[in-house]
Amino acid sequence: MTTTNTSSRAQSRSRTRTRDFARWLLDPRNRPSVAEIYETIATNALSETGLYLNLGFWRDGVASVDDASRALVHLLGESAELKSGDRVLDVGYGFGDQDAEWLRAFDPAEIVGLNITASQVETARTRMEEQGLAHRIDLRQGSATDMPVADSSFDKVLALECAFHFDTRDAFFREASRVLKPGGRLATADILPASPARDPLRRAVQCATWRMTARTWNIPAANAVRPAAYARQLKAAGFTNVRVTSIRERVYAPLHRHLARRSELFPDLPVPARLAARAALTVPPELAYSGLDYIIATADKAVEY
């Protein structure tokens, strides 16, 4: 009887999971919240050994999703100029892999994380405890646009592939400025619309791919800004020394090519997600991602004299 009940519960969870993926990916009328999207994804990360959720920085020599994801983590840490003694705020920390990597690579004094997805918070906390890092990585549930932390309390604020979700990114910039110490640095890895092509047909494809991405990942319309406007928003929030650099050529196409060669990375996905992923990989990357830019941005909180 116990075995039967356990099997029935497992089948019910599987059906629910399949339904949730189908509604998210295939029903244009359905608009799940960001937290609901990541509750649906759960631990179905593309990484093979960790639980990284980022698209990766595919520098020369990178041969796996995990290596590319770590490379992006390191790139953002280097861009932020993380160093020993820093007090760091990480918004949208996923399952905590990036925080563990920053701690090992840059030795900040403490990392505080904010994340709105309850299951990720619970899993990430458990993983940090298992790695013996919980005394220096404090992972909390909270919003990046209404941070439950004190003014001028951090040296660095990091947002790794999450700020495009925030409602709005502009509100996040203002909050980041509030919680940073004067001279502190904000660093983001972020997804933006691509610069419009001159050719009308290509522009139409760009618009279509951006609209599909924005709908699937619940990107607010206010966040559909290009690099120049992104920089202006940072300056308006009180930042100086603003730099916005596109790395799209080291993100989308190499990830696409890698996944096309490694379709076995999808076996645990429910059928709707597995079919959607494999269908997407039949589209050439120059079309599939034509509407997307990917940037690394850094900005320093102004120092008042």
Side-chain angles (χ1 to χ4, degrees):
M1 187 69 173
T2 301
T3 301
T4 301
N5 288 342
T6 300
S7 176
S8 296
R9 285 195 297 271
Q11 290 174 0
S12 177
R13 285 195 298 269
S14 178
R15 286 193 297 269
T16 299
R17 191 160 162 259
T18 299
R19 181 203 64 202
D20 290 345
F21 265 98
R23 291 182 67 234
W24 170 41
L25 295 171
L26 303 177
D27 184 354
R29 300 165 300 175
N30 185 46
R31 184 84 174 192
S33 69
V34 173
E36 288 170 339
I37 289 171
Y38 285 101
E39 294 286 2
T40 297
I41 293 172
T43 56
N44 289 287
L46 290 175
S47 52
E48 298 161 61
T49 58
L51 287 177
Y52 287 107
L53 294 174
N54 72 69
L55 300 177
F57 180 58
W58 295 79
R59 55 167 50 119
D60 293 342
V62 167
S64 71
V65 172
D66 293 270
D67 286 346
S69 294
R70 276 189 292 271
L72 184 60
V73 170
H74 279 256
L75 177 62
L76 193 63
E78 292 159 5
S79 300
E81 297 183 357
L82 288 185
K83 62 184 184 300
S84 180
D86 277 344
R87 189 164 192 252
V88 178
L89 179 66
D90 176 26
V91 296
Y93 53 77
F95 294 108
D97 296 69
Q98 60 209 41
D99 301 299
E101 192 64 27
W102 282 325
L103 198 67
R104 286 188 283 262
F106 300 98
D107 192 36
E110 179 187 24
I111 299 176
V112 175
L114 295 177
N115 192 320
I116 63 169
T117 306
S119 63
Q120 290 186 347
V121 175
E122 181 180 355
T123 300
R125 285 174 175 168
T126 299
R127 298 178 78 227
M128 296 305 101
E129 289 171 1
E130 290 172 348
Q131 295 177 52
L133 302 175
H135 63 298
R136 291 176 64 190
I137 299 178
D138 176 8
L139 300 180
R140 308 173 186 177
Q141 187 165 2
S143 170
T145 59
D146 187 16
M147 300 182 190
V149 296
D151 295 0
S152 303
S153 53
F154 291 92
D155 301 289
K156 307 289 166 58
V157 173
L158 304 181
L160 176 55
E161 206 171 293
C162 56
F164 58 91
H165 285 307
F166 299 157
D167 194 5
T168 61
R169 188 195 284 122
D170 199 26
F172 160 61
F173 288 162
R174 292 193 296 271
E175 277 290 87
S177 180
R178 177 182 69 80
V179 305
L180 277 168
K181 299 174 183 177
R185 173 163 288 194
L186 168 66
T188 67
D190 213 346
I191 295 173
L192 308 182
S195 298
R198 291 186 177 183
D199 178 70
L201 179 58
R202 184 167 177 78
R203 278 203 308 276
V205 173
Q206 287 180 318
C207 289
T209 56
W210 174 260
R211 283 197 301 268
M212 182 180 297
T213 301
R215 187 199 70 78
T216 302
W217 295 100
N218 199 350
I219 302 175
N223 292 351
V225 299
R226 296 189 175 91
Y230 196 98
R232 287 195 296 271
Q233 288 179 337
L234 284 166
K235 291 173 183 175
F239 289 99
T240 62
N241 303 324
V242 175
R243 294 189 62 187
V244 182
T245 304
S246 176
I247 60 167
R248 71 181 308 276
E249 301 305 323
R250 293 295 186 115
V251 177
Y252 300 119
L255 172 64
H256 188 98
R257 289 192 292 267
H258 178 80
L259 294 181
R261 294 192 300 267
R262 298 291 308 279
S263 60
E264 74 273 14
L265 292 174
F266 304 128
D268 295 329
L269 289 175
V271 171
R274 189 161 65 246
L275 292 177
R278 288 178 174 165
L281 291 173
T282 66
V283 180
E286 58 271 16
L287 291 180
Y289 305 101
S290 63
L292 309 183
D293 201 351
Y294 196 107
I295 58 102
I296 297 291
T298 58
D300 300 328
K301 182 175 178 177
V303 178
E304 298 181 4
Y305 295 98

